[in-house]
Amino acid sequence: MDRIESEFLFSMEGQLDMPFIPVGQTPEGWRIVANLAGGSFSGPSLKGKIARSGGDWGLTRADGSFKLDVRCCLLPDDGSPIYMHYYGRIVMKNHDLMAVLGDPALAATLKPSDYYFRTAPYFEVATDSPHAWLNDTLAVGVGAISATGITYMVYRVL
């Protein structure tokens, strides 16, 4: 069987509105909503802004991990919008650290070595867009927590 290869698509920095909206304990877990406040992305073939258009409907699961459910709109410099949605996981190496996610000042003190943060982005693009190739792309993202939100390195799986 072949090894999985990838190519770099873009880096992304998203800002989140604070504080998060706590929905509370649900049958699925502890639910929060984090609204997206904007941001930017840049790579060899894609560059632009992240619209203030979506957010994360996050869930802290019974095992202590955080399940991401994100939707947003990327606005490339060429004006052809890209809808992106992804699921993912944040797993702290020390489960006590999960509590810092809602506090930007404390979250900024975390190092990527303190957690595992991966996503699986999917794209929807108009069929006549110069970025229509994204409709057939499977991607993975490696995330990091910042004081204002999140950062990602996004790779296309070949």
Side-chain angles (χ1 to χ4, degrees):
M1 187 168 271
D2 290 338
R3 241 183 111 100
I4 294 177
E5 295 182 26
S6 65
E7 70 179 4
F8 175 68
L9 280 179
F10 56 83
S11 60
M12 175 176 147
E13 183 173 333
Q15 286 86 45
L16 299 172
D17 283 335
M18 298 291 178
F20 299 153
I21 301 166
V23 174
Q25 186 64 44
T26 74
E28 302 296 318
W30 181 264
R31 174 80 63 190
I32 60 98
V33 177
N35 291 312
L36 188 59
S40 61
F41 64 98
S42 179
S45 301
L46 297 166
K47 182 179 181 223
K49 302 287 181 205
I50 303 169
R52 187 180 181 93
S53 61
D56 183 2
W57 289 260
L59 187 72
T60 301
R61 299 172 359 143
D63 66 1
S65 67
F66 189 76
K67 177 182 174 186
L68 296 125
D69 178 3
V70 177
R71 295 165 195 102
C72 66
C73 188
L74 306 180
L75 302 173
D77 290 344
D78 66 11
S80 298
I82 300 167
Y83 170 68
M84 181 173 78
H85 66 278
Y86 57 88
Y87 296 107
R89 292 284 188 276
I90 301 175
V91 180
M92 295 294 176
K93 301 222 170 130
N94 173 349
H95 286 296
D96 293 338
L97 294 176
M98 283 303 291
V100 307
L101 288 181
D103 183 330
L106 288 176
T109 66
L110 292 173
K111 299 177 213 63
S113 60
D114 291 330
Y115 53 85
Y116 173 87
F117 187 168
R118 302 293 185 271
T119 64
Y122 289 87
F123 305 96
E124 288 181 39
V125 184
T127 55
D128 62 350
S129 165
H131 310 296
W133 57 273
L134 285 169
N135 290 322
D136 299 322
T137 296
L138 180 65
V140 293
V142 178
I145 300 163
S146 72
T148 59
I150 48 84
T151 61
Y152 292 103
M153 299 295 284
V154 179
Y155 300 87
R156 178 180 178 199
V157 177
L158 301 175

